[in-house]
Amino acid sequence: MQHHDIADARFGQEDFARFAACINAVGTERFPELICQLCMELVGAEKVYLTAFFDRDPIVELYSNHSSERHLKALEMYLKVAYFLDPFFQRFREHRGDELLLLGDIAPDNFKTSEYYQLFYRDMGLQDECGILVHIGESSAICISMGAEETGHGTNPWRLSLALPAIYALIKRHWTRLTPVQTDGTGRLAAQLEAAFKAFGKSVLSPRESDIVRLILQGHSSKSIAREFDNSPETIKVHRRRVYQKLNIASQGELLSLFLSAVMAAPPTSSEDPLYHYFASKTSTSG
């Protein structure tokens, strides 16, 4: 954490009023919105997204102040499938405990040039993304992710970091027990999504090529993948070109699009390569 002047840490009357509002709202339907507003004010963010993460179930949106049609369309895809590639969700699956997280600290080295970042972060007009993970029990957590819109001021997590003990306590007092809300269209279980992720491409790619594809989708660069497999970046680039040729695609953007489409086309209980079901559905449609 960078050094800050003591004035940066000062909490004013409005801050204490927001804390009081959260305390009074614990156990009520107003709490998710109020705790999000408190965190946004402390960090200097303008957009916030509150979700419940689960080990074996789909994530659930609990609060959002995103309202544009473009943002809502991207978030719909995020809730159905794409959350699995989100660095915040991947961090949750490591179960490190309650944390304040900066996207730049937890994302793979090439994440900000990945197609996933372009779609779900940059194109939503966000910068300086940060979030908090608060674990509720052994297999679930609350995630509050925040970012500034392109107004030039960015975010500053310093005051939020000082308030974390109180915020953690408030969240755990409200969500004493966190279970999935099952509704129509929530998608496959997270465990089945993980299986689909691991199976993606195995019907047409070699095991090494499939591993490389998964790392590309998560935002790793050729250099990072090379370190993972103790290869040279040039060797990884050869694998990458071969993968694109086999999948009949030409870019990382087409790879992400193919992955999302294939996973959504696969039956929830399938253990096969999602591409098998995707190409089958394309054939039946064209026929």
Side-chain angles (χ1 to χ4, degrees):
M1 187 70 66
Q2 296 179 347
H3 173 75
H4 292 264
D5 187 88
I6 190 64
D8 295 335
R10 188 174 298 153
F11 292 93
Q13 184 175 354
E14 291 184 357
D15 297 315
F16 290 115
R18 291 189 183 94
F19 273 109
C22 288
I23 294 170
N24 289 329
V26 167
T28 74
E29 62 182 16
R30 284 275 290 156
F31 181 79
E33 178 182 358
L34 292 174
I35 195 69
C36 284
Q37 290 177 349
L38 171 63
C39 291
M40 278 197 303
E41 290 296 328
L42 291 177
V43 84
E46 294 153 320
K47 291 298 180 182
V48 64
Y49 195 61
L50 169 61
T51 47
F53 286 168
F54 301 99
D55 273 339
R56 298 295 177 180
D57 290 278
I59 71 170
V60 177
E61 177 187 305
L62 300 178
Y63 178 77
S64 171
N65 69 349
H66 294 274
S67 58
S68 74
E69 183 177 350
R70 179 166 57 93
H71 292 184
L72 294 177
K73 185 175 181 180
L75 289 173
E76 181 181 6
M77 177 67 75
Y78 175 84
L79 284 170
K80 288 181 177 178
V81 173
Y83 73 86
F84 196 78
L85 300 176
D86 187 2
F88 288 109
F89 183 75
Q90 292 295 327
R91 185 74 167 200
F92 155 69
R93 297 178 74 232
E94 297 176 9
H95 295 283
R96 295 176 179 235
D98 304 335
E99 297 180 287
L100 168 62
L101 302 169
L102 305 183
L103 179 64
D105 290 343
I106 64 172
D109 65 332
N110 210 39
F111 183 71
K112 287 201 172 183
T113 61
S114 70
E115 290 297 328
Y116 183 92
Y117 178 83
Q118 309 302 315
L119 177 60
F120 294 104
Y121 285 93
R122 193 200 67 179
D123 285 356
M124 293 186 71
L126 297 180
Q127 57 184 351
D128 290 344
E129 301 86 3
C130 65
I132 60 173
L133 272 177
V134 186
H135 289 260
I136 312 294
E138 296 181 356
S139 59
S140 60
I142 291 296
C143 179
I144 303 178
S145 59
M146 297 159 283
E149 292 184 298
E150 295 178 358
T151 57
H153 72 267
T155 62
N156 185 342
W158 177 242
R159 291 204 310 148
L160 178 62
S161 69
L162 297 176
L164 284 179
I167 291 173
Y168 290 160
L170 283 167
I171 289 174
K172 291 182 179 183
R173 179 61 62 91
H174 180 77
W175 283 287
T176 57
R177 182 170 178 265
L178 187 61
T179 59
V181 177
Q182 299 292 345
T183 59
D184 291 342
T186 54
R188 62 181 48 79
L189 297 179
Q192 294 166 340
L193 180 55
E194 180 175 8
F197 180 62
K198 290 181 177 179
F200 177 72
K202 73 177 184 180
S203 63
V204 293
L205 304 176
S206 71
R208 175 54 57 89
E209 289 168 346
S210 295
D211 290 339
I212 289 172
V213 161
R214 286 191 287 273
L215 290 172
I216 292 173
L217 286 169
Q218 290 176 327
H220 288 269
S221 66
S222 293
K223 288 183 179 180
S224 176
I225 298 171
R227 289 193 296 269
E228 183 77 18
F229 296 117
D230 195 22
N231 283 139
S232 69
E234 289 71 25
T235 299
I236 299 301
K237 290 177 182 178
V238 171
H239 282 298
R240 194 167 186 155
R241 287 193 293 269
R242 189 176 298 129
V243 164
Y244 284 8
Q245 183 178 19
K246 288 183 177 181
L247 297 180
N248 195 28
I249 58 176
S251 67
Q252 186 181 349
E254 291 183 23
L255 175 62
L256 176 62
S257 177
L258 180 61
F259 168 72
L260 295 175
S261 298
V263 172
M264 292 183 71
T269 57
S270 174
S271 60
E272 297 176 296
D273 181 357
L275 284 174
Y276 172 82
H277 300 282
Y278 173 73
F279 290 132
S281 67
K282 298 284 283 186
T283 301
S284 62
T285 301
S286 61

